[in-house]
Amino acid sequence: DNPTQEWDIATVARCIQTTLLFNDEEAAEATAIQQNNDADRGSGEWILYTFDQAGVSGHVNHRDTFRAVQHLVDQQQQPKVDTSASNSDNKSLFISQAWMLQSESNLLAKYIPVYSWCLLLLPWLKLLLIGASATTDHHAPKNAVADSAGKTSNSLCYRLHAPHLNWAAMATHQSQFVWYRRLFVVFSCYTYVNIWHPIAPTIK
């Protein structure tokens, strides 16, 4: 990747499509071997998770990746030509859902996630002050994210209550886990909460 050089959106979309189709066939072949029969090769149905228009960190290639997924989603809305008679082995790719990670534009909220840190401390405070019998967490439905007006949307909210898992996962990539990424893992709000919004087609 390159922080100043944009990627061609059509090329990125083709790379995503090729990778998904390849993995779909790999999974189908493994299933066929386990079942010892000639199972159909892949369903071609996928759920994609990517960056949003801001690219989380503003990285130009992150934004390009979002636009490539948006391109694939839009492509599904266009009328398809039936090629089954000429190529019966042609495998189609269907993106059943596509989600984008919400970027945090406020630098204080992005790198000093006080609210998320407080949420991490709450269970321990409950244990100390109330006791184990009253520590049951009541989580809102993960698809009920409230906006500023108090209304709910179809977004997804995931909270990580064991942030050390994120550190352990990043530590497996020693060449990439340099000092500023270590700071990012500790202080970034993305370690503690991710909010995902559905990517809707722009073509009706």
Side-chain angles (χ1 to χ4, degrees):
D1 61 355
N2 190 306
T4 60
Q5 183 177 352
E6 293 186 355
W7 288 339
D8 178 70
I9 303 306
T11 301
V12 178
R14 283 196 300 271
C15 289
I16 295 172
Q17 191 171 32
T18 300
T19 302
L20 294 179
L21 288 172
F22 174 79
N23 283 284
D24 189 57
E25 292 183 356
E26 288 272 295
E29 288 175 359
T31 301
I33 292 173
Q34 290 177 354
Q35 296 178 350
N36 195 26
N37 58 30
D38 296 325
D40 291 336
R41 296 182 64 190
S43 62
E45 185 171 330
W46 290 88
I47 300 176
L48 298 185
Y49 295 86
T50 186
F51 307 100
D52 65 1
Q53 301 94 322
V56 174
S57 61
H59 197 298
V60 63
N61 298 146
H62 293 179
R63 300 197 299 265
D64 293 337
T65 304
F66 162 78
R67 287 195 287 266
V69 173
Q70 181 73 72
H71 175 76
L72 291 174
V73 171
D74 289 343
Q75 205 173 42
Q76 290 188 166
Q77 303 301 309
Q78 299 174 353
K80 294 180 175 60
V81 179
D82 186 5
T83 59
S84 56
S86 58
N87 187 7
S88 59
D89 292 329
N90 184 42
K91 297 297 180 182
S92 61
L93 175 72
F94 179 69
I95 301 173
S96 59
Q97 298 177 46
W99 299 87
M100 56 183 174
L101 176 61
Q102 176 178 301
S103 296
E104 178 56 68
S105 58
N106 186 306
L107 290 180
L108 285 177
K110 184 175 182 178
Y111 294 114
I112 310 178
V114 176
Y115 178 68
S116 295
W117 290 340
C118 289
L119 287 179
L120 285 176
L121 293 175
L122 278 178
W124 300 101
L125 291 175
K126 285 183 180 180
L127 281 173
L128 291 174
L129 300 176
I130 303 175
S133 61
T135 57
T136 302
D137 275 327
H138 298 282
H139 298 288
K142 65 181 179 180
N143 62 337
V145 177
D147 59 18
S148 58
K151 298 179 180 179
T152 57
S153 68
N154 291 325
S155 300
L156 303 177
C157 180
Y158 294 98
R159 294 193 181 277
L160 181 61
H161 296 283
H164 66 278
L165 296 176
N166 195 17
W167 179 281
M170 287 295 296
T172 61
H173 307 280
Q174 285 296 327
S175 63
Q176 297 292 316
F177 204 33
V178 292
W179 67 269
Y180 57 86
R181 287 202 176 95
R182 295 170 187 259
L183 292 176
F184 186 86
V185 168
V186 174
F187 291 100
S188 169
C189 64
Y190 303 111
T191 292
Y192 308 97
V193 59
N194 286 178
I195 298 177
W196 299 86
H197 301 290
I199 299 177
T202 59
I203 299 176
K204 303 298 181 181

Coordinates of all heavy atoms in Angstrom, one line a residue, residues 82-166:
D82 N -27.8 -13.6 -18.8 CA -27.8 -15.0 -18.6 C -26.8 -15.7 -19.5 O -27.0 -15.7 -20.7 CB -29.2 -15.6 -18.8 CG -29.3 -17.1 -18.4 OD1 -28.3 -17.6 -17.9 OD2 -30.4 -17.7 -18.7
T83 N -25.7 -16.2 -18.9 CA -24.7 -16.8 -19.7 C -24.6 -18.3 -19.4 O -23.7 -19.0 -19.7 CB -23.3 -16.2 -19.4 OG1 -23.1 -16.3 -18.0 CG2 -23.3 -14.7 -19.7
S84 N -25.7 -18.9 -18.8 CA -25.6 -20.3 -18.3 C -25.6 -21.2 -19.5 O -25.0 -22.3 -19.5 CB -26.9 -20.6 -17.5 OG -28.1 -20.3 -18.2
A85 N -26.1 -20.8 -20.7 CA -26.1 -21.7 -21.8 C -24.8 -21.8 -22.4 O -24.3 -22.9 -22.9 CB -27.1 -21.2 -22.9
S86 N -24.0 -20.7 -22.4 CA -22.7 -20.7 -23.0 C -21.6 -21.1 -22.0 O -20.5 -21.6 -22.5 CB -22.3 -19.3 -23.5 OG -22.4 -18.4 -22.4
N87 N -21.8 -21.0 -20.7 CA -20.8 -21.3 -19.8 C -21.5 -21.8 -18.5 O -21.7 -21.1 -17.6 CB -19.9 -20.1 -19.5 CG -18.7 -20.5 -18.6 OD1 -18.5 -21.6 -18.3 ND2 -18.0 -19.5 -18.2
S88 N -21.7 -23.1 -18.4 CA -22.5 -23.7 -17.3 C -21.6 -23.7 -16.1 O -22.1 -23.9 -15.0 CB -23.0 -25.1 -17.7 OG -21.9 -25.9 -18.0
D89 N -20.3 -23.6 -16.2 CA -19.4 -23.7 -15.1 C -19.1 -22.4 -14.4 O -18.3 -22.3 -13.5 CB -18.1 -24.4 -15.4 CG -18.3 -25.9 -15.8 OD1 -19.2 -26.5 -15.2 OD2 -17.5 -26.4 -16.7
N90 N -19.6 -21.3 -15.0 CA -19.4 -20.0 -14.5 C -20.0 -19.8 -13.1 O -21.2 -20.0 -12.9 CB -19.9 -18.9 -15.5 CG -19.6 -17.5 -15.0 OD1 -18.5 -17.2 -14.6 ND2 -20.6 -16.6 -15.1
K91 N -19.2 -19.4 -12.1 CA -19.7 -19.3 -10.8 C -19.9 -17.8 -10.5 O -19.1 -17.0 -10.8 CB -18.6 -19.9 -9.8 CG -18.4 -21.4 -10.0 CD -19.6 -22.2 -9.7 CE -19.4 -23.7 -9.9 NZ -20.6 -24.4 -9.7
S92 N -21.1 -17.6 -9.9 CA -21.4 -16.2 -9.5 C -21.1 -15.9 -8.1 O -21.0 -16.8 -7.3 CB -22.9 -16.0 -9.8 OG -23.7 -16.8 -8.9
L93 N -20.9 -14.6 -7.8 CA -20.5 -14.2 -6.5 C -21.7 -13.3 -6.0 O -22.1 -12.4 -6.7 CB -19.2 -13.4 -6.5 CG -18.9 -12.7 -5.2 CD1 -18.4 -13.8 -4.2 CD2 -17.8 -11.7 -5.4
F94 N -22.2 -13.6 -4.8 CA -23.3 -12.9 -4.3 C -22.9 -12.4 -2.9 O -22.6 -13.1 -2.0 CB -24.6 -13.7 -4.2 CG -25.8 -13.0 -3.6 CD1 -26.4 -11.9 -4.3 CD2 -26.2 -13.3 -2.3 CE1 -27.4 -11.2 -3.7 CE2 -27.3 -12.6 -1.7 CZ -27.9 -11.5 -2.4
I95 N -22.9 -11.0 -2.7 CA -22.6 -10.4 -1.5 C -24.0 -10.2 -0.8 O -24.7 -9.3 -1.1 CB -21.9 -9.1 -1.6 CG1 -20.6 -9.3 -2.4 CG2 -21.6 -8.4 -0.3 CD1 -19.9 -8.1 -2.8
S96 N -24.3 -11.0 0.2 CA -25.6 -10.9 0.9 C -25.6 -9.7 1.8 O -26.7 -9.1 2.0 CB -25.8 -12.2 1.7 OG -24.8 -12.5 2.6
Q97 N -24.4 -9.4 2.4 CA -24.3 -8.2 3.3 C -23.0 -7.6 3.2 O -22.0 -8.3 3.0 CB -24.5 -8.6 4.8 CG -25.9 -9.2 5.1 CD -26.0 -9.6 6.6 OE1 -25.6 -8.9 7.5 NE2 -26.4 -10.8 6.8
A98 N -22.9 -6.3 3.3 CA -21.6 -5.6 3.3 C -21.7 -4.5 4.4 O -22.7 -3.8 4.5 CB -21.4 -4.9 2.0
W99 N -20.7 -4.4 5.2 CA -20.6 -3.5 6.4 C -19.4 -2.7 6.4 O -18.3 -3.2 6.0 CB -20.7 -4.4 7.7 CG -21.9 -5.2 7.8 CD1 -22.1 -6.4 7.4 CD2 -23.1 -4.8 8.5 NE1 -23.4 -6.9 7.7 CE2 -24.0 -5.9 8.4 CE3 -23.6 -3.7 9.1 CZ2 -25.3 -5.9 8.9 CZ3 -24.8 -3.6 9.7 CH2 -25.7 -4.7 9.5
M100 N -19.5 -1.4 6.8 CA -18.3 -0.5 6.9 C -18.1 -0.1 8.3 O -19.1 0.2 9.1 CB -18.5 0.7 6.0 CG -19.8 1.5 6.3 SD -20.0 2.8 5.1 CE -21.6 3.5 5.5
L101 N -16.8 -0.1 8.7 CA -16.5 0.3 10.1 C -16.5 1.8 10.2 O -15.9 2.6 9.4 CB -15.1 -0.2 10.4 CG -14.5 0.2 11.7 CD1 -15.3 -0.4 12.9 CD2 -13.0 -0.3 11.8
Q102 N -17.2 2.3 11.2 CA -17.4 3.7 11.4 C -16.1 4.4 11.9 O -15.5 3.9 12.8 CB -18.5 4.0 12.5 CG -18.6 5.5 12.8 CD -19.7 5.7 13.8 OE1 -20.9 5.3 13.6 NE2 -19.4 6.2 15.0
S103 N -15.6 5.4 11.1 CA -14.4 6.1 11.5 C -14.7 7.2 12.6 O -15.8 7.8 12.6 CB -13.8 6.8 10.3 OG -13.4 5.9 9.3
E104 N -13.8 7.3 13.5 CA -14.0 8.3 14.6 C -13.2 9.5 14.2 O -12.0 9.5 14.1 CB -13.5 7.8 15.9 CG -13.5 8.7 17.1 CD -14.9 9.3 17.3 OE1 -15.8 8.5 17.7 OE2 -15.1 10.5 17.0
S105 N -13.9 10.6 13.9 CA -13.3 11.9 13.5 C -12.7 12.7 14.6 O -11.8 13.6 14.4 CB -14.2 12.7 12.6 OG -15.4 13.0 13.4
N106 N -13.3 12.6 15.8 CA -12.8 13.3 17.0 C -11.5 12.7 17.5 O -11.6 11.6 18.0 CB -13.9 13.4 18.0 CG -13.6 14.3 19.2 OD1 -12.5 14.1 19.8 ND2 -14.5 15.2 19.5
L107 N -10.4 13.4 17.5 CA -9.1 12.8 17.9 C -9.1 12.5 19.4 O -8.5 11.4 19.8 CB -8.0 13.8 17.6 CG -7.7 14.0 16.1 CD1 -6.5 15.0 15.9 CD2 -7.3 12.6 15.5
L108 N -9.8 13.3 20.2 CA -9.8 12.9 21.6 C -10.6 11.6 21.9 O -10.1 10.8 22.7 CB -10.4 14.1 22.4 CG -9.6 15.3 22.6 CD1 -10.4 16.4 23.4 CD2 -8.3 15.0 23.4
A109 N -11.7 11.5 21.2 CA -12.5 10.3 21.4 C -11.8 9.1 20.8 O -12.0 8.0 21.2 CB -13.9 10.5 20.8
K110 N -11.0 9.3 19.7 CA -10.3 8.3 19.0 C -9.2 7.7 19.8 O -9.0 6.5 19.8 CB -9.8 8.8 17.7 CG -9.2 7.7 16.8 CD -8.8 8.3 15.4 CE -8.2 7.3 14.5 NZ -7.9 7.8 13.1
Y111 N -8.4 8.6 20.5 CA -7.2 8.1 21.1 C -7.3 8.2 22.7 O -6.3 7.7 23.3 CB -6.0 8.9 20.6 CG -5.7 8.6 19.2 CD1 -5.8 9.6 18.2 CD2 -5.3 7.3 18.8 CE1 -5.6 9.3 16.9 CE2 -5.0 7.1 17.5 CZ -5.2 8.1 16.5 OH -4.9 7.8 15.2
I112 N -8.3 8.8 23.2 CA -8.5 8.7 24.7 C -10.0 8.3 24.9 O -10.8 9.1 25.3 CB -8.3 10.1 25.3 CG1 -6.9 10.7 24.8 CG2 -8.3 10.0 26.8 CD1 -6.6 12.0 25.4
P113 N -10.2 7.0 24.7 CA -11.6 6.5 24.8 C -12.0 6.2 26.3 O -12.2 5.1 26.7 CB -11.5 5.1 24.0 CG -10.1 4.7 24.2 CD -9.3 5.9 24.3
V114 N -12.2 7.4 27.0 CA -12.5 7.3 28.4 C -13.8 6.5 28.7 O -13.8 5.7 29.6 CB -12.7 8.7 29.0 CG1 -13.1 8.6 30.5 CG2 -11.4 9.5 28.8
Y115 N -14.8 6.7 27.8 CA -16.1 5.9 28.0 C -15.8 4.4 27.9 O -16.3 3.7 28.8 CB -17.1 6.4 26.9 CG -18.4 5.6 27.0 CD1 -19.3 5.8 28.1 CD2 -18.7 4.8 26.0 CE1 -20.5 5.2 28.1 CE2 -20.0 4.1 26.0 CZ -20.8 4.3 27.1 OH -22.0 3.6 27.1
S116 N -15.0 4.0 27.0 CA -14.8 2.5 26.8 C -14.0 2.0 28.0 O -14.2 0.9 28.5 CB -14.0 2.2 25.5 OG -14.8 2.5 24.4
W117 N -13.0 2.8 28.5 CA -12.2 2.4 29.7 C -13.1 2.3 30.9 O -13.0 1.3 31.7 CB -11.1 3.4 29.9 CG -10.0 3.4 28.9 CD1 -9.7 2.4 28.0 CD2 -9.1 4.4 28.6 NE1 -8.7 2.7 27.2 CE2 -8.3 4.0 27.6 CE3 -8.9 5.7 29.2 CZ2 -7.2 4.8 27.0 CZ3 -7.8 6.5 28.6 CH2 -7.0 6.0 27.6
C118 N -14.1 3.2 31.0 CA -15.0 3.1 32.2 C -15.8 1.8 32.1 O -16.1 1.2 33.1 CB -15.9 4.3 32.2 SG -15.0 5.8 32.7
L119 N -16.3 1.5 30.9 CA -17.1 0.3 30.7 C -16.3 -1.0 31.1 O -16.8 -2.0 31.6 CB -17.6 0.1 29.3 CG -18.7 1.1 28.8 CD1 -19.0 0.8 27.4 CD2 -19.9 0.9 29.7
L120 N -15.0 -1.0 30.8 CA -14.1 -2.1 31.2 C -14.0 -2.2 32.7 O -13.9 -3.3 33.3 CB -12.7 -1.9 30.6 CG -12.6 -2.2 29.1 CD1 -11.1 -1.9 28.7 CD2 -12.9 -3.6 28.8
L121 N -14.0 -1.1 33.4 CA -13.9 -1.1 34.9 C -15.1 -1.4 35.6 O -15.1 -1.9 36.8 CB -13.4 0.3 35.4 CG -11.9 0.7 34.9 CD1 -11.6 2.1 35.4 CD2 -10.9 -0.3 35.5
L122 N -16.3 -1.2 35.0 CA -17.6 -1.4 35.7 C -17.7 -2.8 36.3 O -18.2 -2.9 37.4 CB -18.7 -1.1 34.7 CG -19.1 0.4 34.6 CD1 -20.2 0.5 33.6 CD2 -19.5 1.0 35.9
P123 N -17.4 -3.9 35.5 CA -17.6 -5.2 36.1 C -16.8 -5.4 37.4 O -17.2 -6.1 38.3 CB -17.2 -6.2 35.0 CG -17.4 -5.4 33.8 CD -17.0 -4.0 34.1
W124 N -15.5 -4.9 37.4 CA -14.7 -5.0 38.6 C -15.2 -4.2 39.7 O -15.2 -4.6 40.9 CB -13.3 -4.5 38.2 CG -12.7 -5.3 37.1 CD1 -12.5 -4.9 35.8 CD2 -12.1 -6.6 37.2 NE1 -11.9 -5.9 35.1 CE2 -11.6 -7.0 35.9 CE3 -11.9 -7.5 38.3 CZ2 -11.0 -8.2 35.6 CZ3 -11.3 -8.7 38.0 CH2 -10.9 -9.1 36.7
L125 N -15.8 -3.0 39.4 CA -16.4 -2.2 40.5 C -17.6 -2.9 41.1 O -17.9 -2.8 42.3 CB -16.8 -0.8 39.9 CG -15.6 0.1 39.6 CD1 -16.1 1.4 38.9 CD2 -14.8 0.4 40.8
K126 N -18.4 -3.6 40.2 CA -19.5 -4.3 40.7 C -19.1 -5.4 41.7 O -19.8 -5.7 42.7 CB -20.3 -4.9 39.5 CG -21.1 -3.8 38.8 CD -21.9 -4.5 37.6 CE -22.7 -3.5 36.8 NZ -23.5 -4.2 35.8
L127 N -18.0 -6.1 41.3 CA -17.6 -7.2 42.1 C -17.1 -6.7 43.5 O -17.4 -7.3 44.5 CB -16.4 -7.9 41.5 CG -16.7 -8.9 40.3 CD1 -15.5 -9.4 39.6 CD2 -17.5 -10.1 40.9
L128 N -16.5 -5.5 43.5 CA -16.0 -5.0 44.7 C -17.1 -4.4 45.6 O -17.1 -4.5 46.8 CB -14.9 -3.9 44.4 CG -13.6 -4.4 43.8 CD1 -12.7 -3.2 43.4 CD2 -12.8 -5.3 44.8
L129 N -18.0 -3.7 45.0 CA -19.0 -2.9 45.8 C -20.3 -3.7 46.0 O -20.9 -3.5 47.1 CB -19.4 -1.6 45.0 CG -18.2 -0.7 44.8 CD1 -18.6 0.5 43.9 CD2 -17.6 -0.2 46.1
I130 N -20.7 -4.6 45.1 CA -22.0 -5.2 45.2 C -21.8 -6.7 45.5 O -22.5 -7.3 46.2 CB -22.8 -5.0 44.0 CG1 -23.0 -3.5 43.7 CG2 -24.2 -5.7 44.1 CD1 -23.8 -3.1 42.5
G131 N -20.9 -7.3 44.8 CA -20.7 -8.8 44.9 C -21.0 -9.5 43.6 O -21.6 -9.0 42.7
A132 N -20.5 -10.7 43.6 CA -20.6 -11.5 42.3 C -22.1 -11.8 41.9 O -22.4 -12.0 40.8 CB -19.9 -12.8 42.5
S133 N -23.0 -11.8 42.9 CA -24.4 -12.1 42.6 C -25.1 -11.0 41.7 O -26.1 -11.3 41.2 CB -25.2 -12.3 43.9 OG -25.2 -11.1 44.6
A134 N -24.5 -9.8 41.7 CA -25.2 -8.7 41.0 C -24.3 -8.2 39.8 O -24.4 -7.1 39.4 CB -25.4 -7.6 41.9
T135 N -23.6 -9.1 39.2 CA -22.7 -8.7 38.1 C -23.1 -9.1 36.8 O -22.4 -9.1 35.8 CB -21.3 -9.3 38.3 OG1 -21.4 -10.7 38.4 CG2 -20.7 -8.7 39.6
T136 N -24.4 -9.5 36.6 CA -24.9 -9.9 35.3 C -25.0 -8.7 34.5 O -25.6 -7.7 34.8 CB -26.3 -10.6 35.5 OG1 -26.1 -11.7 36.3 CG2 -26.8 -11.0 34.1
D137 N -24.4 -8.8 33.3 CA -24.5 -7.7 32.3 C -25.7 -7.7 31.5 O -26.1 -8.8 31.1 CB -23.3 -7.7 31.4 CG -22.1 -7.0 32.0 OD1 -22.3 -6.0 32.7 OD2 -20.9 -7.4 31.7
H138 N -26.4 -6.6 31.3 CA -27.5 -6.6 30.4 C -27.2 -5.7 29.2 O -27.2 -4.5 29.3 CB -28.7 -5.9 31.2 CG -29.1 -6.7 32.4 ND1 -29.9 -7.9 32.3 CD2 -28.9 -6.5 33.7 CE1 -30.1 -8.4 33.5 NE2 -29.5 -7.6 34.4
H139 N -26.9 -6.4 28.1 CA -26.4 -5.7 26.9 C -27.6 -5.4 26.0 O -28.5 -6.2 25.9 CB -25.4 -6.6 26.1 CG -24.2 -6.9 26.9 ND1 -23.2 -5.9 27.2 CD2 -23.7 -8.0 27.5 CE1 -22.2 -6.5 27.9 NE2 -22.5 -7.7 28.1
A140 N -27.6 -4.2 25.4 CA -28.6 -3.9 24.4 C -28.4 -4.8 23.2 O -27.2 -5.3 23.0 CB -28.5 -2.5 24.0
P141 N -29.4 -5.1 22.4 CA -29.2 -5.9 21.2 C -28.1 -5.3 20.4 O -28.1 -4.1 20.2 CB -30.6 -5.8 20.5 CG -31.6 -5.5 21.7 CD -30.8 -4.7 22.6
K142 N -27.3 -6.1 19.8 CA -26.1 -5.6 19.1 C -26.5 -4.9 17.9 O -25.7 -4.2 17.3 CB -25.1 -6.7 18.8 CG -25.7 -7.8 17.8 CD -24.6 -8.9 17.6 CE -25.1 -9.9 16.6 NZ -24.1 -11.0 16.4
N143 N -27.7 -5.1 17.4 CA -28.2 -4.3 16.2 C -29.0 -3.1 16.6 O -29.6 -2.5 15.7 CB -29.0 -5.3 15.3 CG -30.2 -5.8 15.9 OD1 -30.3 -5.8 17.2 ND2 -31.2 -6.2 15.1
A144 N -29.0 -2.7 17.8 CA -29.7 -1.6 18.2 C -28.8 -0.5 18.7 O -28.5 -0.3 19.8 CB -30.7 -1.9 19.4
V145 N -28.2 0.3 17.7 CA -27.3 1.4 18.0 C -28.1 2.7 17.9 O -28.7 3.0 16.9 CB -26.2 1.4 17.0 CG1 -25.3 2.6 17.2 CG2 -25.4 0.1 17.0
A146 N -28.1 3.4 19.0 CA -28.8 4.7 19.1 C -28.0 5.8 18.5 O -26.8 5.9 18.6 CB -29.2 5.0 20.5
D147 N -28.8 6.6 17.7 CA -28.1 7.8 17.1 C -28.3 9.0 18.1 O -28.8 8.9 19.2 CB -28.7 8.1 15.7 CG -30.2 8.4 15.7 OD1 -30.7 8.6 16.8 OD2 -30.8 8.3 14.7
S148 N -27.9 10.2 17.6 CA -28.0 11.4 18.5 C -29.4 11.8 18.9 O -29.6 12.4 19.8 CB -27.3 12.6 17.8 OG -27.9 12.8 16.6
A149 N -30.4 11.3 18.1 CA -31.8 11.6 18.3 C -32.4 10.6 19.2 O -33.6 10.7 19.5 CB -32.5 11.8 17.0
G150 N -31.7 9.6 19.6 CA -32.2 8.5 20.4 C -32.9 7.4 19.6 O -33.5 6.5 20.2
K151 N -32.9 7.5 18.3 CA -33.5 6.4 17.5 C -32.5 5.3 17.2 O -31.3 5.5 17.2 CB -34.0 7.1 16.2 CG -35.1 8.1 16.4 CD -35.5 8.7 15.0 CE -36.6 9.8 15.2 NZ -37.0 10.4 13.9
T152 N -33.1 4.1 17.0 CA -32.2 3.0 16.7 C -32.1 2.8 15.2 O -32.9 3.2 14.4 CB -32.7 1.7 17.3 OG1 -34.1 1.5 16.8 CG2 -32.7 1.8 18.8
S153 N -30.9 2.2 14.8 CA -30.7 2.0 13.4 C -30.3 0.5 13.2 O -30.4 -0.3 14.1 CB -29.5 2.8 12.9 OG -28.3 2.4 13.5
N154 N -30.0 0.1 12.0 CA -29.6 -1.3 11.7 C -28.1 -1.5 11.8 O -27.6 -2.5 11.4 CB -30.1 -1.6 10.3 CG -31.6 -1.7 10.1 OD1 -32.3 -2.1 11.1 ND2 -32.1 -1.3 9.0
S155 N -27.4 -0.6 12.5 CA -26.0 -0.7 12.7 C -25.7 -1.8 13.7 O -26.6 -2.2 14.5 CB -25.4 0.6 13.1 OG -25.6 1.6 12.1
L156 N -24.5 -2.2 13.7 CA -24.0 -3.2 14.7 C -22.9 -2.6 15.6 O -22.1 -1.9 15.1 CB -23.4 -4.5 14.0 CG -24.3 -5.2 13.0 CD1 -23.5 -6.3 12.3 CD2 -25.5 -5.7 13.6
C157 N -23.0 -2.9 16.9 CA -22.0 -2.4 17.8 C -21.4 -3.6 18.6 O -22.1 -4.4 19.2 CB -22.7 -1.4 18.8 SG -21.5 -0.8 20.0
Y158 N -20.1 -3.7 18.5 CA -19.3 -4.8 19.1 C -18.3 -4.2 20.1 O -17.6 -3.3 19.8 CB -18.5 -5.6 18.1 CG -19.4 -6.4 17.2 CD1 -19.7 -5.9 15.9 CD2 -20.0 -7.6 17.5 CE1 -20.5 -6.6 15.0 CE2 -20.8 -8.3 16.7 CZ -21.1 -7.8 15.4 OH -21.9 -8.5 14.5
R159 N -18.4 -4.6 21.4 CA -17.4 -4.2 22.4 C -16.5 -5.4 22.8 O -17.0 -6.5 23.0 CB -18.2 -3.7 23.6 CG -19.0 -2.4 23.3 CD -19.5 -1.7 24.6 NE -20.2 -0.5 24.3 CZ -19.7 0.6 24.0 NH1 -18.4 0.8 24.1 NH2 -20.4 1.7 23.7
L160 N -15.3 -5.1 22.9 CA -14.3 -6.1 23.3 C -14.0 -5.8 24.8 O -13.4 -4.8 25.2 CB -13.0 -5.9 22.5 CG -11.9 -7.0 22.8 CD1 -12.4 -8.4 22.6 CD2 -10.6 -6.7 22.0
H161 N -14.4 -6.8 25.7 CA -14.2 -6.7 27.1 C -12.9 -7.3 27.6 O -12.6 -7.3 28.7 CB -15.4 -7.3 27.8 CG -16.6 -6.5 27.6 ND1 -16.9 -5.3 28.2 CD2 -17.7 -6.8 26.8 CE1 -18.1 -4.9 27.8 NE2 -18.6 -5.8 26.9
A162 N -12.1 -7.8 26.6 CA -10.8 -8.4 26.9 C -9.8 -7.8 25.9 O -9.3 -8.5 25.0 CB -10.8 -9.9 26.9
P163 N -9.4 -6.6 26.1 CA -8.5 -5.9 25.1 C -7.1 -6.5 24.9 O -6.5 -6.3 23.9 CB -8.4 -4.5 25.6 CG -8.8 -4.5 27.0 CD -9.8 -5.6 27.1
H164 N -6.7 -7.3 25.9 CA -5.4 -8.0 25.8 C -5.4 -9.0 24.6 O -4.3 -9.3 24.1 CB -5.1 -8.7 27.1 CG -6.0 -9.9 27.4 ND1 -7.2 -9.7 28.0 CD2 -5.9 -11.2 27.2 CE1 -7.8 -10.9 28.2 NE2 -7.0 -11.8 27.7
L165 N -6.6 -9.4 24.2 CA -6.7 -10.3 23.0 C -6.2 -9.6 21.8 O -5.6 -10.2 20.9 CB -8.1 -10.9 22.9 CG -8.6 -11.7 24.0 CD1 -10.1 -12.1 23.8 CD2 -7.7 -13.0 24.2
N166 N -6.5 -8.3 21.7 CA -6.1 -7.5 20.5 C -4.6 -7.4 20.5 O -4.0 -7.5 19.5 CB -6.8 -6.2 20.6 CG -6.7 -5.4 19.3 OD1 -6.5 -6.0 18.2 ND2 -7.0 -4.1 19.3

